Amino acid sequence: MRLHTSGHMTRCLIGLLASTVIAITFGGVTSVCAQSPSPEPSDVYLARAKRVLSQTPLIDGHNDLPWRIREDSIARGNVNAYDLRKRTPGQTDLNRLRAGMVGAQFWSVYTPGEWRDSGYARVQLEQIEIARQVIAKYPDRLALALSAEDIRREFKQGRIASLLGLEGGHAIENSLGALRAYYDLGVRYMTLTHNVTLDWADAALDSAKHNGLTSFGDSVVREMNRLGMLVDLSHVSAATMSDALNATQAPVIFSHSGARALVDVPRNVPDSILTRVKMNGGIVMVPFVTGFVSPEVMRYDESSRTIITDLQAKYGKDTAAITRDIKAWRAAHPEPHATLSQVADQIDYIRKIAGVDHVGIGGDFDGITEVVQGLEDVSKYPALFAELARRGWSDVDLRKLAGENLLRVFAQAEAVAKRSQASTVR
């Protein structure tokens, strides 16, 4: 399964990812007895959340189901074997999507930047095929969407509008022609980098080679504008964020990133960029990645990395000794858990700095192993909206967060593309 932070990766390396998570649902499990004179406040907020989500498509910016299917130990890339009509071993299936009131989903067609193979395009095309197979397999529940209007139409028809988001510009292999081909296959956003710095763009979790974007990187952004493909700045360095905002004519997105002021990790967005996102008209879609939303988890990850580095220096290749000692350390230092309230804090903070028109949801389900308490899978979105309602969010603002902000950004990107295509010849 794909992991997003070096803290997660170190846990993977030592084989200690299987930890018990206690599921706590916030405001979504209490039933009201017929004798009750009035509903409890938590039920009032949950009812408001569900009413909003029944009227406005909840658009999640990032779900790694296609990679989860590819890496599944049993299905191993077999879409038919990984049956979404049943309870899946991951965090996503059709019944839980319905319970979560998901109206539209960007399915990530992620490929690892570390897997050069014979070229990145082969794996990328396979991932697009897996995603397209998933969408085609459940025509009563899912529908391929290529535009903002498609999202609105499919929501009215009761199907989840399904879009493709390409995670990592390494997949274009330095070719604008490949970029155009991916767009023709249905890709509607591209994350400029994943965790590996490219020939034309610096990544957040790799060394900086260009201080942002190169001139070719600028041309990639401009071509994405011309196509109507959303520019996704999750995973890129702060300098790349800045350069992309300089180059773009359309609003940008962060498909799954939080606020760096609350959790200081390179994958989150600095305040200076949040301010520019407001000026640009873009959107930051808050993830449910524990180390991005909880400072306690982030500090625990940092401590874990230090301990693991020290043990590797002490024991060398003796993985049994390393595993034994890290287990003992973890037993003496229980891992903290991220909470739904901390995700809500992230959303509130981005609203404070960038404005309510510039925040959304990018859960990153099936791309994470540790989960936020109260947001364990795709069924839990209403609980988050209920918490925000409890904090004083109006229905109008909840609708913006759910999907109206993303629909506006998408429509504006399409308008930029239409003007560009009318005035230029490729």
Side-chain angles (χ1 to χ4, degrees), residues 123-165:
V123 180
Q124 186 59 73
L125 291 171
E126 289 172 355
Q127 284 309 106
I128 292 173
E129 182 193 26
I130 287 175
R132 295 286 297 255
Q133 283 184 43
V134 169
I135 298 165
K137 180 174 170 62
Y138 309 99
D140 57 323
R141 301 290 299 278
L142 308 177
L144 182 67
L146 302 174
S147 67
E149 183 55 36
D150 286 351
I151 296 174
R152 294 189 186 277
R153 183 190 66 245
E154 295 304 329
F155 179 69
K156 291 178 181 177
Q157 295 181 359
R159 297 193 294 182
I160 297 173
S162 296
L163 304 100
L164 306 184

Coordinates of all heavy atoms in Angstrom, one line a residue, residues 123-165:
V123 N 3.4 1.4 -16.5 CA 2.7 1.3 -15.2 C 1.6 2.3 -15.1 O 0.5 2.0 -14.6 CB 3.7 1.4 -14.0 CG1 2.9 1.3 -12.7 CG2 4.8 0.4 -14.1
Q124 N 1.8 3.5 -15.6 CA 0.8 4.5 -15.6 C -0.5 4.1 -16.4 O -1.6 4.3 -15.9 CB 1.3 5.9 -16.1 CG 0.3 7.0 -16.0 CD -0.1 7.2 -14.5 OE1 0.7 7.7 -13.7 NE2 -1.3 6.9 -14.2
L125 N -0.2 3.6 -17.6 CA -1.4 3.1 -18.4 C -2.1 2.0 -17.7 O -3.3 1.9 -17.8 CB -0.9 2.7 -19.8 CG -0.4 3.9 -20.7 CD1 0.3 3.4 -21.9 CD2 -1.5 4.8 -21.0
E126 N -1.4 1.1 -17.1 CA -2.0 0.0 -16.3 C -2.9 0.5 -15.2 O -4.0 0.0 -15.0 CB -1.0 -0.9 -15.8 CG -0.2 -1.8 -16.8 CD 0.9 -2.6 -16.3 OE1 1.2 -2.4 -15.1 OE2 1.5 -3.3 -17.1
Q127 N -2.4 1.6 -14.5 CA -3.2 2.1 -13.4 C -4.5 2.8 -14.0 O -5.6 2.7 -13.4 CB -2.4 3.1 -12.6 CG -1.4 2.4 -11.7 CD -2.1 1.4 -10.8 OE1 -2.0 0.2 -11.0 NE2 -2.9 1.8 -9.8
I128 N -4.4 3.5 -15.1 CA -5.5 4.1 -15.7 C -6.5 3.1 -16.1 O -7.7 3.2 -15.9 CB -5.1 5.0 -16.9 CG1 -4.4 6.3 -16.4 CG2 -6.3 5.4 -17.7 CD1 -3.8 7.1 -17.5
E129 N -6.0 2.0 -16.6 CA -6.9 0.9 -17.0 C -7.6 0.3 -15.8 O -8.9 0.0 -15.9 CB -6.1 -0.2 -17.7 CG -7.0 -1.4 -18.2 CD -6.3 -2.6 -18.6 OE1 -5.2 -2.8 -18.1 OE2 -6.8 -3.4 -19.4
I130 N -6.9 0.1 -14.7 CA -7.6 -0.4 -13.5 C -8.7 0.5 -13.1 O -9.8 0.1 -12.8 CB -6.6 -0.6 -12.4 CG1 -5.7 -1.8 -12.7 CG2 -7.3 -0.8 -11.0 CD1 -4.6 -2.0 -11.6
A131 N -8.4 1.8 -13.0 CA -9.4 2.8 -12.6 C -10.6 2.8 -13.5 O -11.8 2.8 -13.1 CB -8.8 4.2 -12.5
R132 N -10.4 2.7 -14.8 CA -11.5 2.7 -15.8 C -12.3 1.4 -15.7 O -13.5 1.5 -15.9 CB -10.9 2.9 -17.2 CG -10.2 4.3 -17.5 CD -11.2 5.4 -17.7 NE -12.1 5.2 -18.8 CZ -12.0 5.9 -19.9 NH1 -11.1 6.8 -20.1 NH2 -12.9 5.7 -20.9
Q133 N -11.6 0.3 -15.4 CA -12.4 -0.9 -15.2 C -13.3 -0.9 -14.0 O -14.4 -1.3 -14.1 CB -11.4 -2.1 -15.0 CG -10.7 -2.6 -16.3 CD -9.8 -3.8 -16.0 OE1 -10.2 -4.7 -15.2 NE2 -8.6 -3.8 -16.6
V134 N -12.8 -0.3 -12.9 CA -13.6 -0.2 -11.7 C -14.8 0.6 -12.0 O -16.0 0.3 -11.7 CB -12.8 0.5 -10.6 CG1 -13.7 0.9 -9.4 CG2 -11.7 -0.4 -10.1
I135 N -14.7 1.8 -12.7 CA -15.8 2.6 -13.0 C -16.8 1.9 -13.9 O -18.0 2.0 -13.7 CB -15.3 3.9 -13.7 CG1 -14.4 4.7 -12.7 CG2 -16.5 4.8 -14.1 CD1 -13.6 5.8 -13.3
A136 N -16.3 1.2 -14.9 CA -17.2 0.5 -15.8 C -17.9 -0.7 -15.2 O -19.0 -1.1 -15.6 CB -16.4 0.0 -17.1
K137 N -17.3 -1.3 -14.2 CA -17.9 -2.5 -13.6 C -19.2 -2.2 -12.8 O -20.0 -3.1 -12.7 CB -16.8 -3.1 -12.6 CG -17.3 -4.4 -12.0 CD -16.2 -5.1 -11.2 CE -16.7 -6.2 -10.3 NZ -17.2 -7.3 -11.1
Y138 N -19.3 -1.0 -12.3 CA -20.5 -0.7 -11.5 C -21.3 0.5 -12.1 O -21.4 1.6 -11.5 CB -20.1 -0.4 -10.1 CG -19.1 -1.4 -9.5 CD1 -17.8 -1.2 -9.5 CD2 -19.7 -2.6 -9.0 CE1 -16.9 -2.2 -8.9 CE2 -18.8 -3.6 -8.4 CZ -17.4 -3.3 -8.4 OH -16.6 -4.3 -7.9
P139 N -21.9 0.3 -13.3 CA -22.5 1.4 -14.0 C -23.7 2.0 -13.3 O -24.1 3.1 -13.5 CB -22.9 0.8 -15.4 CG -23.0 -0.6 -15.1 CD -22.0 -0.9 -14.1
D140 N -24.3 1.2 -12.4 CA -25.4 1.7 -11.6 C -25.0 2.6 -10.5 O -25.8 3.4 -9.9 CB -26.3 0.6 -11.0 CG -25.4 -0.4 -10.2 OD1 -24.2 -0.6 -10.5 OD2 -26.0 -0.9 -9.2
R141 N -23.7 2.6 -10.1 CA -23.3 3.3 -8.9 C -22.2 4.4 -9.3 O -22.0 5.4 -8.6 CB -22.7 2.4 -7.9 CG -23.7 1.3 -7.4 CD -24.8 2.0 -6.6 NE -24.2 2.6 -5.4 CZ -23.9 1.9 -4.3 NH1 -24.2 0.6 -4.2 NH2 -23.4 2.6 -3.2
L142 N -21.4 4.1 -10.3 CA -20.3 4.9 -10.7 C -20.4 5.4 -12.1 O -20.9 4.6 -13.0 CB -18.9 4.2 -10.5 CG -18.6 3.5 -9.2 CD1 -17.3 2.8 -9.2 CD2 -18.6 4.6 -8.0
A143 N -19.9 6.5 -12.5 CA -19.9 7.0 -13.9 C -18.7 7.9 -14.1 O -18.4 8.7 -13.3 CB -21.2 7.8 -14.1
L144 N -18.0 7.6 -15.2 CA -16.9 8.4 -15.6 C -17.3 9.9 -15.8 O -18.3 10.2 -16.5 CB -16.2 7.9 -16.9 CG -15.0 8.6 -17.3 CD1 -13.8 8.4 -16.4 CD2 -14.6 8.2 -18.7
A145 N -16.6 10.8 -15.2 CA -16.8 12.2 -15.3 C -15.6 12.9 -15.9 O -14.5 12.6 -15.4 CB -17.2 12.8 -14.0
L146 N -15.8 13.8 -16.8 CA -14.7 14.5 -17.5 C -14.8 16.1 -17.3 O -14.0 16.8 -17.8 CB -14.7 14.2 -18.9 CG -14.6 12.7 -19.3 CD1 -14.7 12.5 -20.8 CD2 -13.2 12.1 -18.8
S147 N -15.9 16.5 -16.7 CA -16.1 18.0 -16.6 C -16.9 18.3 -15.3 O -17.5 17.4 -14.7 CB -16.9 18.5 -17.8 OG -18.2 17.9 -17.8
A148 N -16.9 19.6 -15.0 CA -17.7 20.0 -13.8 C -19.2 19.7 -14.0 O -19.9 19.3 -13.1 CB -17.5 21.5 -13.6
E149 N -19.7 19.9 -15.3 CA -21.1 19.6 -15.6 C -21.4 18.1 -15.4 O -22.5 17.8 -15.0 CB -21.4 20.1 -17.0 CG -22.9 19.9 -17.4 CD -23.8 20.6 -16.4 OE1 -23.5 21.6 -15.8 OE2 -24.9 20.0 -16.1
D150 N -20.4 17.3 -15.8 CA -20.6 15.8 -15.6 C -20.9 15.5 -14.1 O -21.7 14.7 -13.8 CB -19.4 15.0 -16.1 CG -19.3 15.0 -17.6 OD1 -20.3 15.4 -18.3 OD2 -18.3 14.5 -18.1
I151 N -20.1 16.2 -13.2 CA -20.3 15.9 -11.8 C -21.7 16.3 -11.3 O -22.4 15.5 -10.7 CB -19.2 16.7 -11.0 CG1 -17.8 16.2 -11.3 CG2 -19.5 16.6 -9.5 CD1 -16.7 17.1 -10.6
R152 N -22.2 17.4 -11.7 CA -23.5 17.9 -11.4 C -24.6 16.9 -11.9 O -25.5 16.5 -11.2 CB -23.8 19.3 -11.8 CG -22.9 20.3 -11.2 CD -23.3 21.7 -11.5 NE -22.4 22.8 -11.0 CZ -22.5 23.3 -9.8 NH1 -23.4 22.8 -8.9 NH2 -21.7 24.2 -9.4
R153 N -24.4 16.5 -13.2 CA -25.4 15.6 -13.8 C -25.4 14.3 -13.1 O -26.5 13.8 -12.8 CB -25.0 15.4 -15.3 CG -26.1 14.5 -16.0 CD -25.6 14.1 -17.4 NE -24.4 13.3 -17.3 CZ -23.2 13.6 -17.8 NH1 -23.0 14.7 -18.3 NH2 -22.2 12.7 -17.7
E154 N -24.3 13.7 -12.9 CA -24.3 12.3 -12.2 C -24.8 12.4 -10.8 O -25.4 11.4 -10.3 CB -22.9 11.7 -12.3 CG -22.4 11.5 -13.7 CD -23.3 10.6 -14.5 OE1 -24.0 9.7 -13.9 OE2 -23.3 10.7 -15.7
F155 N -24.5 13.5 -10.1 CA -25.0 13.6 -8.7 C -26.5 13.6 -8.7 O -27.2 12.9 -7.9 CB -24.5 14.9 -8.1 CG -25.0 15.1 -6.7 CD1 -24.6 14.3 -5.7 CD2 -25.8 16.1 -6.4 CE1 -25.0 14.5 -4.4 CE2 -26.3 16.4 -5.1 CZ -25.9 15.5 -4.1
K156 N -27.1 14.3 -9.7 CA -28.6 14.3 -9.8 C -29.1 13.0 -10.1 O -30.3 12.6 -9.7 CB -29.0 15.3 -10.8 CG -28.8 16.8 -10.4 CD -29.2 17.7 -11.6 CE -28.9 19.2 -11.2 NZ -29.2 20.1 -12.3
Q157 N -28.4 12.1 -10.8 CA -28.8 10.8 -11.2 C -28.5 9.7 -10.2 O -28.8 8.6 -10.4 CB -28.2 10.4 -12.6 CG -28.7 11.3 -13.7 CD -28.1 10.9 -15.1 OE1 -27.3 10.0 -15.2 NE2 -28.5 11.7 -16.1
G158 N -27.9 10.2 -9.1 CA -27.6 9.2 -8.0 C -26.4 8.4 -8.2 O -26.3 7.3 -7.5
R159 N -25.5 8.7 -9.1 CA -24.3 8.0 -9.3 C -23.1 8.8 -8.8 O -23.1 10.0 -8.8 CB -24.1 7.6 -10.7 CG -25.2 6.7 -11.2 CD -24.9 6.0 -12.6 NE -24.8 7.0 -13.6 CZ -24.5 6.7 -14.9 NH1 -24.3 5.4 -15.2 NH2 -24.5 7.6 -15.9
I160 N -22.0 8.1 -8.4 CA -20.8 8.8 -8.0 C -20.0 9.2 -9.2 O -19.5 8.3 -10.0 CB -20.0 7.9 -7.0 CG1 -20.7 7.6 -5.8 CG2 -18.6 8.6 -6.7 CD1 -20.1 6.6 -4.8
A161 N -19.9 10.5 -9.5 CA -19.1 11.0 -10.6 C -17.6 10.6 -10.3 O -17.1 11.0 -9.3 CB -19.2 12.5 -10.7
S162 N -17.0 9.9 -11.2 CA -15.7 9.3 -11.0 C -14.7 9.9 -12.0 O -14.8 9.8 -13.2 CB -15.7 7.8 -11.2 OG -16.6 7.2 -10.2
L163 N -13.7 10.6 -11.4 CA -12.7 11.3 -12.2 C -11.3 10.7 -11.9 O -11.1 10.0 -10.9 CB -12.7 12.8 -11.8 CG -14.0 13.6 -11.9 CD1 -14.7 13.7 -10.6 CD2 -13.8 14.9 -12.6
L164 N -10.4 10.9 -12.8 CA -9.0 10.4 -12.6 C -8.1 11.5 -12.3 O -8.0 12.5 -13.0 CB -8.6 9.7 -13.9 CG -9.5 8.6 -14.5 CD1 -8.8 7.9 -15.7 CD2 -9.8 7.5 -13.4
G165 N -7.2 11.2 -11.3 CA -6.2 12.2 -10.9 C -4.8 11.5 -11.0 O -4.6 10.5 -10.3

